[in-house]
């Protein structure tokens, strides 16, 4: 299985010629080549994780492609056929097994509503929590997508998150609001936290791939 990191929160997984798209949002370059998509996962309804335009491009090239997301996305994406998933659900999509964890977005501020959010474990290998610090209980995480910057986190939180999950490998995501210096600082802290439990950090930038 090959992981390709796109801008911000978006990922593409490829296996046996099939593709799984995760969180194609507003900070991600328009996705024009999605042929072979067997599923789309959207962790929550915020625009940096999905837009009608991004989703429409994928659906137009892959008629009937299933879209898995929490209830908040289904309510927002009324022009699309969204299959609602919850923590504990597992679905099969082509060569991909998707297991979902968590229920809510991390708190941004008391004045901002907390929306639905699901994390996804892909092929028992890659875990991406969306905008949350969900720990997939009972799972030894091989590869962890670690948020590097957001209005809802501080460095201490993503450091503690990595220390708690203990991934064998990690890489940064959710980084488009960082400066170059900010990304360097975040990468250094994620690398340190990963290495404390014998893991390896990969400083992926958009377009980079990782075989997992």
């Amino acid at each position: 299985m090959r992981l390709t990191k796109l801008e911000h929160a978006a990922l593409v997984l490829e296996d046996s010629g099939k593709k799984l798209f995760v969180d194609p949002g507003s900070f991600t370059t328009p996705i024009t080549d999605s042929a072979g998509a067997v599923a789309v996962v959207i962790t929550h309804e915020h625009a940096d994780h999905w837009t009608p335009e991004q989703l429409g491009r994928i659906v137009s090239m892959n008629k009937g492609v299933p879209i898995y997301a929490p209830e908040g996305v289904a309510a927002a994406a009324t022009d699309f056929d969204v299959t609602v998933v919850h923590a504990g659900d597992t679905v099969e999509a082509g060569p991909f097994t998707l297991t979902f964890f968590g229920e809510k977005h991390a708190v941004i501020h008391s004045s901002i509503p907390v929306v639905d959010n699901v994390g996804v474990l892909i092929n028992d290998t890659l875990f991406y929590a969306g905008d949350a610090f969900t720990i997939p209980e009972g799972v030894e995480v091989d590869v962890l997508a670690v948020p590097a910057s957001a209005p809802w986190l501080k460095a201490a939180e993503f450091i503690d998150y990595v220390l708690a999950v203990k991934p064998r490998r990690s890489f940064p995501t959710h980084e488009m609001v960082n400066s170059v210096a900010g990304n360097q600082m975040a990468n250094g802290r994620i690398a340190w936290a990963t290495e404390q439990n014998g893991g390896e950090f990969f400083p992926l930038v958009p377009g980079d791939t990782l075989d997992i």
Side-chain angles (χ1 to χ4, degrees), residues 56-191:
R57 282 186 282 267
I58 296 171
V59 170
S60 68
M61 292 192 68
N62 304 275
K63 299 299 184 183
V65 63
I67 302 163
Y68 300 106
E71 291 174 349
V73 174
T78 54
D79 291 336
F80 299 92
D81 184 10
V82 176
T83 298
V84 172
V85 289
H86 302 93
D89 290 346
T90 297
V91 299
E92 303 288 338
F96 304 104
T97 299
L98 312 175
T99 305
F100 297 93
F101 294 82
E103 297 178 350
K104 292 296 180 181
H105 192 289
V107 174
I108 302 171
H109 186 263
S110 59
S111 64
I112 299 174
V114 177
V115 301
D116 297 328
N117 180 97
V118 293
V120 61
L121 178 68
I122 302 167
N123 287 357
D124 293 323
T125 298
L126 167 65
F127 185 66
Y128 173 49
D131 282 9
F133 296 114
T134 304
I135 297 173
E137 298 294 341
V139 176
E140 293 186 3
V141 175
D142 183 4
V143 182
L144 180 66
V146 183
S149 182
W152 46 270
L153 66 74
K154 58 184 179 181
E157 293 172 320
F158 69 66
I159 292 169
D160 284 344
Y161 182 56
V162 176
L163 291 172
V165 176
K166 301 180 177 65
R168 297 183 184 93
R169 292 176 282 180
S170 68
F171 68 94
T173 187
H174 213 281
E175 83 294 349
M176 288 298 285
V177 296
N178 266 348
S179 65
V180 172
N183 277 328
Q184 290 173 343
M185 293 172 63
N187 284 353
R189 293 299 87 207
I190 297 169

